[in-house]
Amino acid sequence: MSKIADKTEATPRSDLAKGDEHSVKTGRVLIAIATYNEIENLPILVERLVDTLPEADLLVIDDGSPDGTGQWCEDHAKMNARMHCLHRKGKPGLGSAIIAAMQYAIDNNYDVMINLDADLSHPPEKIPELLEAWQAGASESTVAIGSRYVPGGGITGWPLKRHFMSRGINMYTRWLLWLPMADCSGSFRAYPVNLLRKIDFDSFLSYGYSFFEEVLFHLKEQGATFVEVPFQFVERQYGSSKINMRKAMVAVWTIFRLGLKAWRPW
């Protein structure tokens, strides 16, 4: 188990951890949502997720949200046997929250893990298309990526500066890490758990926002194939974004360090 995953505290409800219901169409599906102060968004998102994919299990990884997000998850889990909660102390980083979710998916033998943001920017109604793309992939190691930058995809609600930064980081990442996809920086994805088992999470340089670029690099090294599914990204309406210029610059530096490995593997 990764060191990051060791820092999480799971809700002690063994009957909920088994996930013994199976979906004929998709196999055992885990939907992971990392949260910090998302009390306005999470109830809406969970309702839409349950309506869209009622056979999936939901995992919320909350970093001690002072607005009551984690407590809402606990209360809702008492009524929904498919809801699971991981509570973490402090704010060790978004990437580390996703690693904790990936480790949870591995430990509980899920087939596929869907990751999406808690702020309603990723439409739950697109998840069936991600799962279909994963199942129809060229191999059992196909990663399905929700993409803003392929035909049919797009972004609503961003200022020009944000568009410029996102396009720039994607071009930068594709060149440094030799990645084939148009959208390297998004987090709306379907990961095959059999492929996640091959990754050494303790080797990661990033536990922040650049995690999403770095994990693609490691998956590619493990033989992953990639397929992109277009979707329309909508900027959050409630709460505030957690990214800022300092975090963006840290991500740029981390990708550069990872690029040195890609270009000079020896």
Side-chain angles (χ1 to χ4, degrees):
M1 179 178 291
S2 86
K3 296 174 184 176
I4 294 296
D6 279 339
K7 296 179 181 178
T8 61
E9 298 177 0
T11 304
R13 300 175 66 202
S14 59
D15 58 318
L16 299 188
K18 295 176 183 177
D20 46 16
E21 295 279 342
H22 287 249
S23 159
V24 174
K25 182 177 182 182
T26 61
R28 298 184 61 240
V29 179
L30 179 69
I31 300 175
I33 312 159
T35 59
Y36 183 77
N37 284 349
E38 296 289 359
I39 192 61
E40 295 174 292
N41 294 312
L42 187 61
I44 300 170
L45 177 60
V46 167
E47 182 178 358
R48 288 172 63 185
L49 286 168
V50 171
D51 287 345
T52 301
L53 211 68
E55 69 272 25
D57 285 357
L58 309 181
L59 174 68
V60 174
I61 312 97
D62 186 68
D63 282 358
S65 297
D67 71 347
T69 300
Q71 187 58 54
W72 182 89
C73 179
E74 283 294 325
D75 294 341
H76 194 74
K78 295 174 184 176
M79 300 179 290
N80 181 357
R82 289 195 173 277
M83 172 76 82
H84 316 291
C85 310
L86 291 176
H87 301 284
R88 308 197 310 162
K89 298 177 181 178
K91 294 177 65 179
L94 175 61
S96 70
I98 307 307
I99 288 176
M102 289 175 169
Q103 190 63 62
Y104 184 96
I106 292 168
D107 292 343
N108 289 279
N109 296 312
Y110 288 92
D111 294 334
V112 63
M113 189 192 101
I114 304 290
N115 184 76
L116 77 167
D117 290 347
D119 61 6
L120 303 176
S121 59
H122 299 149
E125 295 76 16
K126 273 284 183 177
I127 291 177
E129 289 186 42
L130 281 181
L131 290 172
E132 288 172 9
W134 161 64
Q135 285 190 310
S139 72
E140 293 183 355
S141 298
T142 295
V143 178
I145 297 173
S147 180
R148 301 160 293 180
Y149 297 131
V150 294
I155 297 170
T156 300
W158 275 7
L160 184 61
K161 179 181 177 181
R162 187 90 180 267
H163 282 280
F164 177 79
M165 289 175 59
S166 179
R167 290 282 188 177
I169 198 68
N170 274 283
M171 290 177 61
Y172 176 74
T173 301
R174 284 194 299 271
W175 178 73
L176 271 178
L177 304 186
W178 296 10
L179 292 175
M181 67 289 300
D183 196 337
C184 304
S185 60
S187 58
F188 189 28
R189 299 170 182 168
Y191 299 100
V193 176
N194 69 312
L195 191 59
L196 297 180
R197 288 190 175 94
K198 300 177 181 180
I199 296 178
D200 176 12
F201 292 115
D202 290 328
S203 70
F204 274 58
L205 299 177
S206 173
Y207 297 121
Y209 283 92
S210 54
F211 167 83
F212 296 107
E213 290 89 350
E214 181 168 2
V215 73
L216 294 178
F217 171 76
H218 288 287
L219 290 168
K220 179 171 173 273
E221 286 196 321
Q222 295 301 328
T225 58
F226 303 95
V227 60
E228 293 186 85
V229 176
F231 82 100
Q232 291 291 325
F233 177 100
V234 179
E235 177 66 333
R236 68 161 62 235
Q237 295 182 4
Y238 307 109
S240 58
S241 175
K242 313 306 187 292
I243 195 167
N244 54 43
M245 184 57 70
R246 184 187 67 82
K247 291 179 179 178
M249 294 311 297
V250 169
V252 168
W253 172 242
T254 303
I255 294 168
F256 176 77
R257 291 171 59 202
L258 191 63
L260 294 178
K261 289 186 176 182
W263 286 80
R264 298 186 61 184
W266 60 89

